[in-house]
Amino acid sequence: MRKEVWIPRLLIAVSVLFIGVMLVLPLVVVLAEAFSSGLDAFLRAVTDPYTLKALRLTLTATVAAVLINTLFGLTAAWAVTRFSFRGKGILSTLIDIPFAVSPVIAGLVFILIFGRISPLHPFLDAHDIKVVFAEPGIILATVFVTFPFVARELIPTLEARGTDEEQAAALMGAGFVTIFRRVTFPHIRWALLYSVILCAARAMGEFGAVSVVSGHLRGKTNTLSLHVEILYSEYQFTAAFAVSAILAAGAVLMLTARNIVEYLAHKEDDFNVR
Amino acid sequence: MYVELKNINKAFGDVHASRNVGFGIARGVLAALLGPSGSGKTTILRMIAGLERPDSGDIFIDGARVNDVAPGRRGIGFVFQNYALFRYMTVFDNIAFGLTVQKEPAAAVRRKVLELLSLVGMEGMEKRYPAQLSGGQKQRVAFARALAPNPKLLLLDEPFAAIDAKVRKELRAWLRDMIHRLGVTGIFVTHDQDDAVETADEIIVTNNGRIEQKGSPQMLYKAPATPFVTSFIGSSAPLENYRRLKGFENGSGAATGAVRPEFIKIYKEVDGITYENSVEEAVVEDTAFRGTYWEVSLKIKNMTLPARYSLEKAPIAAGDKVKALVYRLYAFDGDNVTLLENRNLDTHNGANRYSI
Ligand SMILES: Nc1ncnc2c1ncn2[C@@H]1O[C@H](COP(=O)(O)OP(=O)(O)O)[C@@H](O)[C@H]1O
Ligand SMILES: [Mg+2]
């Protein structure tokens, strides 16, 4: 057979094999292990009070990360694409820091800032504010790690759509809020939703940074990922995999949502963008 | 003057987009900013609108200095080069935008939008989205949208650039008519001299960030102020040394200038010639049919000059020896231009016979 026929087949085969072994297989194993001791055992693990507490904390951190990062991501993307100012290049690079540094380092940074060795500590202690080894630390770490998603997705979108329509609106006397709501937002809504989904997916599964600031206080500062680790290290394999299954289900849900958003966005673009 | 710019300078980094720009436009006039691409036309328009801040200089609208007035408060309608219609709004909502921003009651908005739609000849299209419109229709919607809040000044950036040749001619007449009917003042930007000459009451020629000349289309054609305007408006050919031509020998040394095809008359038959002492021997280099006349390229004393030749006369072809009379030309002196008449014709007092 000719070379041109072989190359695509080879590439496809390699990709399918790799994705199968590295991505699909683990997912299948997780589900198989979760149900290996029967449905009852699975339900018991999932409805365990500590699991539920961990789930609640994971959801809280995820919602906080999504809200805060949407707000600041929008602000940063707007600033970078709509204004020219000194240090714009640096700001645009700084946005990527959470992707560049290891999450563990991010966690350590929060310990340094808010922990016992921090100069802030006496003040925090005096006002009974707990950041590290408490929920605020978990939320901060999650926000930090997922910050770039919204900004990174919106910057190219805002850049590509240009400022003409916004200027046209401003010339007709529209204020900032009207311009954003009626002109800019329709352009970025799908990109925003897309980035929120990615941000949420990442926030749910975050382990490294959260692990450092949590202190692993079961029922207090445990997220689902941390809870899985604890269960696993206590040889409660079924329970560990059952809780993992919750996270896996969340991930699949997010991927599905992402694909739907992608599909809808493409459909709209085909219509509206020349 | 309804709009007045005084000593405007604007630089983007090293690029001087406006150098000492100053001009005024009277109320109700439709003016064109005409110049090659990159000469600073859009920058001037955007500064008038407030979308760009001049580095120095003053902008007045209706007597008031507007440098520090926000774009939305200058009473300006702006039609962007690519129209910048709101892509996610219907035609109706696009046109209504400026009115709803001003919190006009819904019924009044509706009445005004429908009125504007019929003014621009787009009745029944209010539910369409911009993506469903042709270039000409988008332009009309952009025009209606800019007019909705009743601006006193309408600015248009390259309004005809994206329109094909046939619709373009109609649109020029339409724009001219509309501006005058509404009684607003208009400024449009174009790099196409036909757009400017056929549409504008007044033309402001820009080049390299400067204003070269301002005047009526006829005046720019007849009395160009600079060599640039001479070559940019109408057609012309440069002359390296016009003193070699009969009737223009006065003075000494080489002198540069330009000549228009309309300034040269070709004679095939010798008996038509009255002014032997002014006539040059010429060889036809090339002819091209232009529908209503021949465009002819003549070789006179080693110079190649353009001329026109009537279809009514005996035909000429490349290689023919003919006589040519250059009865006027433009002489350049630095940045100044003077119109020179053929001296030999003056003595015969026959210049009028040859006027265009
Ligand atoms: N926002 C900008 N940033 C940098 N350079 C610009 C900007 N706008 C215009 N220029 C430059 O200024 C000059 C004049 O531009 P412009 O006013 O758009 O010319 P025109 O409309 O006549 O084509 C050009 O050299 C252009 O590259
Ligand atoms: Mg331009």
Side-chain angles (χ1 to χ4, degrees), chain A residues 160-161 163-175 178-179 182-183 186-187 189 268-269 271-274, chain B residues 46 49 51 71-72 76 78 80 82 84-89 93-94 97-98 100-102 129 131-132 138 145 149:
Chain A
R161 295 304 170 93
T163 54
D164 278 6
E165 290 185 32
E166 288 157 11
Q167 289 180 348
L171 272 167
M172 287 185 266
T178 308
I179 294 177
R182 294 196 56 197
V183 180
H187 279 283
R189 59 186 161 194
E268 192 180 270
D269 269 4
F271 177 75
N272 271 314
V273 182
R274 281 161 292 176
Chain B
R46 290 173 61 84
L51 296 174
I76 285 175
F78 199 104
F80 286 78
N82 58 5
L85 294 177
F86 303 130
R87 233 181 296 181
Y88 295 94
M89 293 184 206
D93 289 339
N94 262 279
F97 188 88
T100 48
V101 162
Q102 291 173 0
Y129 282 87
Q132 296 168 300
K138 279 185 199 161
R145 183 181 70 173

Side-chain angles (χ1 to χ4, degrees), chain B residues 99-130:
Chain B
L99 302 167
T100 48
V101 162
Q102 291 173 0
K103 306 235 176 344
E104 300 234 1
V109 171
R110 184 162 185 80
R111 191 160 12 88
K112 181 91 202 222
V113 171
L114 294 180
E115 187 187 305
L116 280 163
L117 275 170
S118 92
L119 180 82
V120 299
M122 299 256 313
E123 295 105 327
M125 306 256 201
E126 61 264 31
K127 292 211 176 65
R128 296 225 190 156
Y129 282 87

Side-chain angles (χ1 to χ4, degrees), chain A residues 43-192:
Chain A
L43 287 177
R44 226 176 308 124
V46 167
T47 52
D48 176 81
Y50 285 133
T51 306
L52 291 179
K53 282 229 159 159
L55 176 62
R56 193 192 57 81
L57 182 54
T58 294
L59 289 179
T60 308
T62 301
V63 169
V66 163
L67 289 181
I68 294 173
N69 286 337
T70 300
L71 193 66
F72 286 104
L74 263 173
T75 310
W78 190 280
V80 166
T81 55
R82 293 299 182 254
F83 307 119
S84 61
F85 51 92
R86 208 181 281 264
K88 177 167 145 172
I90 296 173
L91 179 69
S92 159
T93 311
L94 287 180
I95 291 173
D96 283 332
I97 281 191
F99 280 176
V101 304
S102 157
V104 176
I105 296 173
L108 285 175
V109 167
F110 285 115
I111 301 258
L112 284 177
I113 298 175
F114 299 107
R116 208 176 291 277
I117 39 174
S118 156
L120 281 177
H121 189 260
F123 172 83
L124 295 174
D125 215 29
H127 293 80
D128 206 20
I129 302 170
K130 286 204 175 63
V131 179
V132 292
F133 310 135
E135 284 195 16
I138 303 272
I139 291 172
L140 268 180
T142 310
V143 168
F144 176 87
V145 168
T146 55
F147 177 74
F149 283 101
V150 174
R152 271 291 148 238
E153 182 69 27
L154 290 186
I155 286 172
T157 311
L158 279 169
E159 221 143 54
R161 295 304 170 93
T163 54
D164 278 6
E165 290 185 32
E166 288 157 11
Q167 289 180 348
L171 272 167
M172 287 185 266
F176 177 82
V177 174
T178 308
I179 294 177
F180 180 78
R181 190 173 60 82
R182 294 196 56 197
V183 180
T184 314
F185 185 70
H187 279 283
I188 60 169
R189 59 186 161 194
W190 292 116
L192 185 64

Side-chain angles (χ1 to χ4, degrees), chain B residues 223-289:
Chain B
T226 65
F228 177 82
V229 176
T230 313
S231 64
F232 201 71
I233 309 280
S235 59
S236 68
L239 293 169
E240 268 171 39
N241 184 6
Y242 62 77
R243 293 213 171 104
R244 283 158 60 196
L245 292 170
K246 284 185 187 171
F248 301 96
E249 300 94 338
N250 264 11
S252 60
T256 57
V259 64
R260 295 197 193 280
E262 303 89 286
F263 295 172
I264 300 180
K265 194 152 189 166
I266 298 174
Y267 300 91
K268 186 162 163 80
E269 281 115 20
V270 181
D271 58 299
I273 303 170
T274 334
Y275 312 115
E276 290 284 357
N277 57 344
S278 323
V279 167
E280 303 275 3
E281 303 291 332
V283 178
V284 177
E285 275 198 322
D286 197 14
T287 62
F289 184 58

Side-chain angles (χ1 to χ4, degrees), chain B residues 41-42 81 157-158 189:
Chain B
K41 309 179 294 289
T42 297
Q81 179 161 9
D157 195 356
E158 302 273 4
V189 158

